[in-house]
Amino acid sequence: VSLLASRLTSANVPLLVTREPGGTAIGERIRHLLQFAPESVSMTPETELLLFEASRSQLVRQVIQPALDQGTVVISDRFADSTTVYQGVARRLDQEMVGHLNDFAVGKCWPDLTFLLDVDVETARTRMMRRVRPAAGIDRMEQEPLKFYEAVCIAYRELAAREPHRIRVVDVTRSIEEIESEIWDVISMRFSHLARMIPARRRRPRAS
């Protein structure tokens, strides 16, 4: 996200970067409740689902839609697909209901293009634990067992297979430079007006 944002910002492309859950004052309070609040230990899957949708609804209407209306490019770190997978599949909630709630929260603000950063569960968990801040500790979602994340991984890949035009799967076992290059190549093909605004970067030579 940061590398793509830097590339767009350097070309003076109007840009907004946000994240889920969060992105608004209300959303950040919900994020804390979902991740770290002591009360979240007893949270039911249904409550979790509705809190994610509440945060998303606020983000879309307060931040994303106004930005789009002004011609701003929006990058969101996670969005409704996460709820489709985590709550609809891994939490085993009714998937049709989850879909309806996603549509209600998102409205017409579905992404034009989504990148699924694909990696095996063990590698993903190792990377996730490296990012844990000692002061904050492991959040509630990160405490789920490997079986939970295996279900998440399978569900994401199945979702990508169902929506190949919108969702692009990117192998992230490679170098950051290779990943960034592939993502930009896809964006350049899909949004040619952005490609014309930004000169291609020279790739750094690999060490022999």
Side-chain angles (χ1 to χ4, degrees):
V1 170
S2 60
L3 290 173
L4 176 57
S6 175
R7 188 189 287 255
L8 294 171
T9 301
S10 67
N12 297 316
V13 174
L15 178 67
L16 169 71
V17 178
T18 189
R19 68 176 183 175
E20 277 210 348
T24 67
I26 291 173
E28 292 299 325
R29 292 290 294 270
I30 293 174
R31 183 185 182 92
H32 175 75
L33 181 59
L34 284 163
Q35 293 184 327
F36 297 111
E39 299 84 356
S40 69
V41 174
S42 60
M43 186 178 297
T44 69
E46 293 82 1
T47 299
E48 180 183 89
L49 167 64
L50 293 172
L51 285 173
F52 273 112
E53 298 293 9
S55 174
R56 180 170 301 126
S57 178
Q58 187 71 23
L59 177 64
V60 166
R61 288 155 183 81
Q62 181 182 339
V63 176
I64 295 178
Q65 187 61 64
L68 294 174
D69 291 343
Q70 295 176 4
T72 299
V73 174
V74 177
I75 301 174
S76 180
D77 185 353
R78 295 182 178 272
F79 203 59
D81 291 331
S82 295
T83 294
T84 298
V85 168
Y86 278 80
Q87 283 71 50
V89 177
R91 295 292 192 211
R92 299 182 181 180
L93 295 177
D94 183 273
Q95 294 182 39
E96 184 177 358
M97 177 194 65
V98 172
H100 288 316
L101 288 173
N102 274 338
D103 287 336
F104 178 73
V106 172
K108 297 180 180 180
C109 281
W110 282 94
D112 296 296
L113 180 61
T114 299
F115 290 99
L116 171 58
L117 307 183
D118 191 28
V119 70
D120 65 90
V121 174
E122 291 284 358
T123 301
R125 192 162 183 82
T126 298
R127 292 179 178 180
M128 181 173 62
M129 298 308 293
R130 287 176 185 165
R131 296 197 304 267
V132 172
R133 293 174 298 172
I138 302 174
D139 72 35
R140 188 176 61 87
M141 299 297 290
E142 290 168 344
Q143 295 177 32
E144 293 293 342
L146 282 180
K147 185 176 181 181
F148 178 87
Y149 283 102
E150 287 168 355
V152 166
C153 186
I154 292 170
Y156 265 127
R157 289 168 178 165
E158 291 177 346
L159 179 60
R162 293 197 301 270
E163 299 190 42
H165 179 72
R166 177 175 67 87
I167 303 176
R168 177 63 180 258
V169 180
V170 178
D171 175 11
V172 293
T173 61
R174 301 167 298 163
S175 70
I176 291 176
E177 290 81 6
E178 290 174 306
I179 296 166
E180 180 194 11
S181 178
E182 179 178 342
I183 288 174
W184 181 247
D185 286 346
V186 173
I187 291 173
S188 298
M189 288 187 290
R190 185 70 61 88
F191 308 107
S192 57
H193 64 288
L194 291 178
R196 289 192 296 268
M197 297 172 67
I198 303 173
R201 290 184 178 178
R202 291 182 179 178
R203 295 185 181 181
R204 285 181 286 180
R206 294 184 179 181
S208 57

